[in-house]
Amino acid sequence: MSHDRHFLERTVDFSRNLPLPALERAMLLYNDPQLLRFVFAQARLPEGLEDIAIALTDEEQPPHLVVHRSGHFRSILGAGMAVTDARILTRQKFDGLVERMEALRERLAVSEKLSGERGGAAKLINRLRVGGNCLSQEEFVAISHWQPLLRDYFVVLFGELADKQDYRRRLLRRCSPKRLERTAEALLLSYWQGHFLLGHLALLSVMDRHRLAAPMPVETDKLFDYFVRTLFCQGSIGLALKAGWVCGELGKDILGAAKRLYCTKGGKWELVEGGMALIGIACRRSAAFAEVVKASDMPLRGASPEDRPLVEQIVDITRRVLAMIEKPDPAEVEAWIGCANQAFQDWHQLSTEHVLPAELRVAAVAHSMIGLKHHAGLGLLMFSLPRVAKAEPKQLYFPESLLRTVRPTWEPSESLALLAMQEGLLEKPKPVRAAPTPGRNDPCSCGSGKKYKRCCAAQPEASASGDLQ
């Protein structure tokens, strides 16, 4: 308590010389222990250092507010006094932490509202799994309240889900579409939900990447393949746009990988993926903009003669989009608004048109299930990227007020269309010569000991679905 009393006495002494905003910052910390703990958690004090000196003005020199790790306020250092044995926290950094704390409290309020009843938090997390393309903005904000605590879990789950989706895809491709619709509806639904869950988990895994003290549980040189390539190869414009947002958040951590992919691989899809990553980084990381533009102007190598016209088109679009980041083109803006309205119309699948408010255009394109191979896919992806990359993650979701009136229902045909659009982007399984089918009364080849007719011949899709569960 003696430290705190001394702090208050010093505050009174300095009150005549300190500007009002500086006094407000000092008293804000004094009256908000939760904020103070958050500041210390983000400051990452080295071993042996116990104090933080928080700048109260824009100047590098005092006045500084000195606070001990225990939460006691030591003093306010006046002009001309030296800071010793304390980590200095600039005013800009401190204001950023205050803003971050306010955002966390906003998420907490939404989370408590949606999960107030007992077991509500578990129901909320389960919505992430089954919400699909109807996860609401409010639900995402509420779940993101748990992100600082569950970030590593989301990262690991993303990798496991990507492997599971690959396994599901190989299972589904073994049967004809008609047979799948008739006998494997549960597996088709899981595949559909998993497609969107990859996008939810990617956003939750990387959001606030540079604000969190703990390092990512994935090596930096593997981040591009782990997140960006996985999302891009799912085949839909919606997940490719989320991949672009992830690129903007990861920034320079993946810039080298994006440049190598764009400039040296030569394949058309590698070029699209690399250009998408460069645009996402340029939109969010102004310090890297010049380096991105320089990379986009480098000569390309390795394109085959048959791919050369498309490669040149991709390069031209990438350069145009980068130019429009600095100087928007009104004609392009109008064209993009039309694309966003069409994406919204495709999403809600109703015959009647709904007016799309301007603030929901980003969410509309982020939900697009147009394939990357669609004739309009490349333009929609590239020209939507600057809007999506600059948006807050919650803006990629529709609000509950809209979903109450317009909520699309899933049909098995949508999962089949998703499988079809992924052809050519995801590796096709190598042809495998089918093993001889046992006779109905022969022992089953799976090794269960049962007769074939009472084992795998009965419900092959149901058996596969059970393995996934």
Side-chain angles (χ1 to χ4, degrees), residues 205-253:
S205 294
V206 306
M207 62 186 294
D208 303 325
R209 162 80 171 88
H210 297 285
R211 294 180 181 178
L212 294 176
M216 184 80 74
V218 177
E219 296 177 23
T220 302
D221 60 349
K222 297 180 180 178
L223 286 173
F224 190 92
D225 287 344
Y226 192 84
F227 288 110
V228 181
R229 177 152 298 163
T230 298
L231 290 176
F232 181 83
C233 288
Q234 301 309 309
S236 69
I237 293 296
L239 282 200
L241 287 171
K242 287 184 172 69
W245 188 94
V246 167
C247 291
E249 187 69 11
L250 295 178
K252 284 203 168 185
D253 289 344

Side-chain angles (χ1 to χ4, degrees), residues 35 38 42 94-107 144 147-148 207-208 211-212:
L35 174 60
F38 181 72
Q42 299 299 309
F94 174 69
D95 288 348
L97 291 176
V98 172
E99 181 181 345
R100 166 78 175 133
M101 188 65 183
E102 291 174 352
L104 288 173
R105 284 172 172 160
E106 177 188 350
R107 295 180 196 174
S144 67
Q147 191 262 358
M207 62 186 294
D208 303 325
R211 294 180 181 178
L212 294 176

Side-chain angles (χ1 to χ4, degrees), residues 147-173:
Q147 191 262 358
L149 180 64
L150 299 177
R151 195 274 308 269
D152 289 1
Y153 168 75
F154 290 143
V155 172
V156 173
L157 187 59
F158 177 88
E160 292 178 350
L161 177 62
D163 291 339
K164 181 174 285 190
Q165 284 292 94
D166 183 64
Y167 178 51
R168 286 170 173 160
R169 182 167 48 253
R170 285 185 278 113
L171 286 177
L172 291 168
R173 281 179 174 165

Side-chain angles (χ1 to χ4, degrees), residues 29 46 349 415:
L29 270 178
Q349 303 172 342
S415 296

Side-chain angles (χ1 to χ4, degrees), residues 110-141:
V110 176
S111 179
E112 289 177 341
K113 182 179 179 181
L114 291 180
S115 61
E117 74 278 8
R118 186 173 182 179
K123 293 179 182 177
L124 196 59
I125 296 297
N126 187 56
R127 274 292 297 163
L128 189 68
R129 181 179 67 85
V130 301
N133 61 342
C134 292
L135 188 75
S136 72
Q137 187 178 103
E138 290 82 357
E139 288 171 326
F140 181 84
V141 170

